[in-house]
Amino acid sequence: QSVLTQPPSVSAAPGQKVTISCSGSSSNIGNIYVSWYQQFSGTVPKLLIYENNKRPSGIPDRFSGSKSGTSATLGITGLQTGDEADYYCGIWDSSLNAYVFGTGTKVTVL
Amino acid sequence: EVQLVQSGAEVKKPGESLKISCKGSGYSFTSYWIAWVRQMPGKGLEWMGIIYPGDSDTRYSPSFQGQVTFSADKSIDTAYLQWSSLKASDTAMYYCARVVVPDVTRDYFDHWGQGTLVTVSS
């Protein structure tokens, strides 16, 4: 059972915005930078956001990250059918001495 | 171009041993940690641990400590994940990933291998 909790699924119509939460605790998210990964069905995970809100080269600015307290949020604006995927947050948990992925959220475009 | 290329799919019987590989190219292989990540069928991502190919320093997730062994051969820029006695519950996709560690609070995985599917069945 992950120490980072995400909603199992979120959905919205094309063009709309979705947000995905990643809830942790003061021992992990509270003082650590969060990264986000996108995984299309049957494919390799891809880095989407690092250090809370930075995007690697090639990731469109429709994707954004933020953090407040012990929660982080991934936002996707201008939702496209091509955004349908699983999304995972991840952080280094110093109390577990391990990297932890969130439980994962499936994004569905209605 | 940074690439991590993993060995091909494996089908094994319970009790057999296995070693899968992850070969890096396009960067200084000995200067970055390599992580191993498990994904069981229909499930999420699980961090197994990391190895630093420069000196083979390893860190295991408590969940995988004693169950698997990481190694690396820096002469051929390759990291390995091995099992001495497979179980049916080891059936999963295994990914290697390059770890970027600006400092201990900021690490993330910027490049991933294509994955190695391991199937353990009698």
Side-chain angles (χ1 to χ4, degrees):
Chain A
Q1 190 73 9
S2 177
V3 297
L4 298 179
T5 303
Q6 300 179 230
S9 63
V10 297
S11 61
Q16 298 300 302
K17 176 180 179 178
V18 294
T19 58
I20 300 170
S21 60
C22 175
S23 179
S25 68
S26 56
S27 71
N28 47 52
I29 287 186
N31 47 21
I32 296 285
Y33 288 81
V34 180
S35 52
W36 290 89
Y37 303 88
Q38 177 190 56
Q39 186 180 33
F40 296 108
S41 180
T43 69
V44 180
K46 181 172 79 171
L47 177 66
L48 202 60
I49 297 287
Y50 66 100
E51 294 182 8
N52 295 338
N53 54 20
K54 296 179 181 177
R55 284 175 285 105
S57 173
I59 301 299
D61 58 7
R62 299 187 299 105
F63 295 91
S64 64
S66 63
K67 195 188 85 166
S68 178
T70 58
S71 288
T73 300
L74 174 70
I76 310 174
T77 58
L79 199 61
Q80 301 175 1
T81 55
D83 296 330
E84 288 200 329
D86 294 320
Y87 294 82
Y88 296 90
C89 57
I91 51 99
W92 178 264
D93 189 312
S94 56
S95 64
L96 298 176
N97 204 28
Y99 194 89
V100 179
F101 289 102
T103 49
T105 298
K106 184 175 186 62
V107 169
T108 301
V109 181
L110 301 173
Chain B
E1 179 195 6
V2 174
Q3 282 194 308
L4 294 172
V5 178
Q6 299 185 230
S7 48
E10 301 274 2
V11 179
K12 292 289 190 179
K13 291 181 169 26
E16 292 186 331
S17 63
L18 176 64
K19 191 173 188 178
I20 63 175
S21 66
C22 169
K23 182 174 175 59
S25 63
Y27 74 101
S28 175
F29 189 71
T30 54
S31 299
Y32 289 81
W33 292 82
I34 290 287
W36 287 98
V37 176
R38 182 176 79 173
Q39 188 167 38
M40 299 178 76
K43 302 298 185 183
L45 305 173
E46 298 175 89
W47 181 83
M48 302 175 70
I50 50 176
I51 183 166
Y52 191 73
D55 60 7
S56 290
D57 186 13
T58 56
R59 316 281 169 84
Y60 293 93
S61 161
S63 300
F64 292 93
Q65 179 83 47
Q67 309 304 309
V68 296
T69 302
F70 305 148
S71 60
D73 185 341
K74 61 184 180 182
S75 70
I76 55 172
D77 293 346
T78 301
Y80 301 96
L81 166 61
Q82 70 180 85
W83 295 259
S84 58
S85 181
L86 286 160
K87 302 185 278 286
S89 57
D90 292 318
T91 295
M93 181 70 83
Y94 293 88
Y95 296 102
C96 63
R98 190 177 80 161
V99 187
V100 178
V101 189
D103 63 60
V104 71
T105 67
R106 300 171 186 259
D107 48 345
Y108 54 92
F109 311 132
D110 68 340
H111 288 85
W112 295 65
Q114 83 276 21
T116 296
L117 181 62
V118 174
T119 304
V120 184
S121 173
S122 54

